[in-house]
Amino acid sequence: MGALFGTDGVRGLANRDVTAELALDLSVSAAHILSEVGQRRSAIVGRDPRASGEFLQSAVAAGLASAGVDVWDVGVLPTPAVAYLTKTRSADLGVMLSASHNAMPDNGIKFFNAEGNKLADEIEAQIEARMGEEWQRPVGDAVGRISSDSEGADEYVAHLLTTVDSLSGLKVVVDGANGAASQVAPLTYREAGAEVIAIHCAPDGYNINRDCGSTHLGDLQKAVVEHGADLGIGHDGDADRCLAVDASGALVDGDQLMAIIALAMRDAGRLAHDTVVATVMANLGFKQAMQRESISVVETAVGDRYVLEAMLASGYVLGGEQSGHVVMTEHATTGDGLLTALQVMNRMVATGASLAELAGVMRRLPQVLVNVSGVDKNALETCGAVSDAVSAAQEQLSDSGRVLLRKSGTEPLVRVMVEAQDEATATGVAQSLAQTVRDHLSL
C-alpha cells in the first residue's frame, strides 16, 4: 500500500489491504504514541455496519488491550460520535472503523487524539514508523480490559439536541445510507421535534452506500417529493457529512449548507472574525456570496482535517467542504452530518424560509472536473506549457470563473477543475486544459 495513511486515515479493500493483522499492529503502535505509559489508559472504539468491521474492531480492541489500554466498544455509531465520546470521556484515543462513502468491500481505520481531533500528518508518520518494533508487553492486571458500551449513542444524541430549538412543524426524509447513522439520525431528528420519514436505514453488513446515501441521492429526491417533505438529508456511510435536497428534490450541496449556517451564526453573533474556512474546491459562487455578506473566506487544501487545522490555528469556528463535511467547533471536533442537518433545519424554523430560499443566498456556478490519468503529476508545477495554458484560461474567464489544477495524492493523475458562468464554457476550458496536460506530462 505504500504509505499507510491517506487524507482520512488508513483505507482499502478489507481483508486484503486492511487486514486484521494490520489493524492489530496499528492499534499497538497508536497506543504507544497516543497514550501515556504508567497510568491506566482508555480508548473509545466504534465502527460502521460493514461486515468486515466486526473482525477489524476485534483486532483493534485486541491490539489496544495487549498494549495496556482499556477499550470501550461503543458498537455501530457515526464517526463524529466516536470523536465526541473520546473527548467527553477523557479517553486517550479514539478509533473508528469505516471507509466512509466507499463501497462495502472497503474498510478503514481512523484515529482520534484525546481532544477528539484527527491526527496531524507527523503523528500518523510516528505511528507508522513504530509498527513492528520490539516493545515491553504488560502482563497480569496491567493488560487492558474490553467492555461493551451501550450508552454512547444516548450521550451523543443528547449532546446534539442541546444545539437546536424545537424543529416542530418540519417534515424531513433522512437517507441513512444503510450506514452508521441508520439508527441515531432518525432518532435525533424525531427527538428534536421533526416529523421523520427514514429510508435506507436497515443495514445488513453488506448494503452500506449501495445506491443510497449522499453519493446516490435519487431515492431521497423521489421520497421528498412523494411525501411532500420540507427537505431531505442524505448521509454517507459514517455520517461525518451530509447533503440535502429541497422540497422540489433539487440538490443543496455542502457549499450551500455552509453558507446557510454561516449566515445563521453571523446573525447570532457567533461567527468568529466573520470568517469561514473552505477548501480550494469550494464553488466560486460560495466565495462570491460570502463576499456580498461581508464574510471572509480562508482557503485550505482538500480534506476536512486541513480545514480544522486552519480553524484551530486562528480561532475560526466554521469550516467545511463542498462534499458536505462541515465542522462547527462550538459543538464538534470533526465533521458531523447530523449536527449540520440540525443547524440547517433550525435556521429554516427560525426564519420561516424554505430550504430553497435559504440556499438561494448563493448561485452555484457550473463546475467541471476532469481527471487526467497516466501523467507525471510531480512535473505539474514546473511545466511551462501547462502554466501558460492555465494563465491564458484564467485570463479568458476573468473574474467570472476559476481554474484549478492539482495532483492526486494517491494516483498518477492530475485533476483539472474549471468554473464558469455556464456549463459549456466550463467544459470547453476544462477539456482544453486536460489535453494540454496529456500532451506535456504523459508518462
Side-chain angles (χ1 to χ4, degrees):
M1 291 178 63
L4 287 176
F5 288 92
T7 55
D8 198 16
V10 176
R11 193 178 299 182
L13 183 60
N15 216 28
R16 293 281 183 85
D17 299 323
V18 183
T19 63
E21 295 86 349
L22 175 64
L24 191 149
D25 290 345
L26 268 174
S27 299
V28 169
S29 184
H32 293 158
I33 295 294
L34 297 174
S35 60
E36 186 177 340
V37 177
Q39 61 181 18
R40 203 70 190 181
R41 298 164 289 162
S42 65
I44 303 293
V45 180
R47 64 180 181 91
D48 71 24
R50 295 166 208 263
S52 59
E54 296 168 3
F55 76 78
L56 288 172
Q57 188 171 40
S58 296
V60 166
L64 292 171
S66 73
V69 177
D70 291 328
V71 175
W72 295 98
D73 175 1
V74 295
V76 175
L77 277 181
T79 289
V82 172
Y84 171 76
L85 294 169
T86 299
K87 181 177 182 179
T88 58
R89 293 189 178 181
S90 301
D92 293 89
L93 69 154
V95 189
M96 178 69 184
L97 286 305
S98 177
S100 189
H101 60 280
N102 286 28
M104 183 280 297
D106 288 350
N107 215 324
I109 307 171
K110 306 179 193 182
F111 292 99
F112 297 96
N113 63 21
E115 293 301 311
N117 295 322
K118 292 181 180 179
L119 306 184
D121 292 341
E122 56 269 24
I123 301 299
E124 291 181 339
Q126 291 175 31
I127 290 173
E128 188 169 346
R130 291 190 62 172
M131 290 177 64
E133 71 175 4
E134 291 294 325
W135 56 288
Q136 187 69 39
R137 296 173 181 270
V139 296
D141 61 4
V143 301
R145 304 295 300 274
I146 302 173
S147 304
S148 294
D149 184 338
S150 60
E151 297 179 357
D154 290 339
E155 293 177 30
Y156 173 60
V157 171
H159 160 66
L160 290 175
L161 294 174
T162 66
T163 71
V164 292
D165 302 316
S166 172
L167 302 182
S168 178
L170 280 186
K171 181 189 288 189
V172 58
V173 179
V174 56
D175 183 340
N178 292 317
S182 293
Q183 301 301 315
V184 295
L187 171 64
T188 301
Y189 304 150
R190 288 191 182 104
E191 290 289 319
E195 178 183 349
V196 178
I197 297 99
I199 64 173
H200 299 303
C201 287
D204 62 10
Y206 306 105
N207 59 359
I208 186 171
N209 298 321
R210 184 192 298 162
D211 300 324
C212 60
S214 61
T215 54
H216 299 87
L217 292 171
D219 285 357
L220 179 63
Q221 291 169 314
K222 292 176 185 176
V224 167
V225 174
E226 289 173 359
H227 289 278
D230 297 293
L231 76 160
I233 298 295
H235 292 292
D236 64 335
D238 69 336
D240 63 350
R241 63 178 175 171
C242 75
L243 295 178
V245 298
D246 65 23
S248 73
L251 168 68
V252 178
D253 70 11
D255 286 337
Q256 293 168 298
L257 296 176
M258 191 157 58
I260 293 169
I261 296 170
L263 294 186
M265 294 180 67
R266 190 275 311 274
D267 292 350
R270 294 176 11 243
L271 186 64
H273 311 293
D274 283 341
T275 297
V276 63
V277 180
T279 76
V280 293
M281 292 298 290
N283 194 276
L284 181 59
F286 171 77
K287 299 173 187 176
Q288 292 172 341
M290 293 298 95
Q291 185 177 33
R292 287 194 301 272
E293 296 290 338
S294 300
I295 294 174
S296 301
V297 177
V298 172
E299 287 190 348
T300 74
V302 174
D304 62 329
R305 60 191 291 185
Y306 303 115
V307 169
L308 181 60
E309 285 176 7
M311 293 170 66
L312 295 177
S314 301
Y316 304 131
V317 294
L318 176 65
E321 297 185 282
Q322 191 179 77
S323 60
H325 284 104
V326 178
V327 184
M328 288 165 269
T329 54
E330 282 183 303
H331 309 298
T333 59
T334 188
D336 189 330
L338 281 75
L339 177 64
T340 300
L342 287 170
Q343 301 309 306
V344 170
M345 288 189 278
N346 201 52
R347 180 67 165 175
M348 292 173 66
V349 171
T351 61
S354 69
L355 181 57
E357 290 169 333
L358 293 176
V361 67
M362 64 165 279
R363 175 181 171 239
R364 192 169 63 236
L365 270 63
Q367 189 177 74
V368 174
L369 178 66
V370 179
N371 291 327
V372 187
S373 59
V375 296
D376 181 4
K377 63 181 181 181
N378 294 318
L380 177 64
E381 291 87 354
T382 58
C383 180
V386 172
S387 178
D388 290 344
V390 169
S391 297
Q394 189 60 68
E395 184 175 352
Q396 173 190 341
L397 296 171
S398 187
D399 293 336
S400 64
R402 184 168 67 112
V403 174
L404 177 66
L405 271 64
R406 63 187 185 93
K407 58 186 180 183
S408 168
T410 57
E411 303 171 82
L413 61 82
V414 170
R415 306 188 194 280
V416 178
M417 190 276 286
V418 176
E419 290 171 331
Q421 292 297 310
D422 60 84
E423 189 88 25
T425 299
T427 299
V429 174
Q431 290 177 343
S432 176
L433 285 173
Q435 189 59 52
T436 300
V437 172
R438 292 188 194 97
D439 291 342
H440 294 277
L441 299 182
S442 290
L443 294 171

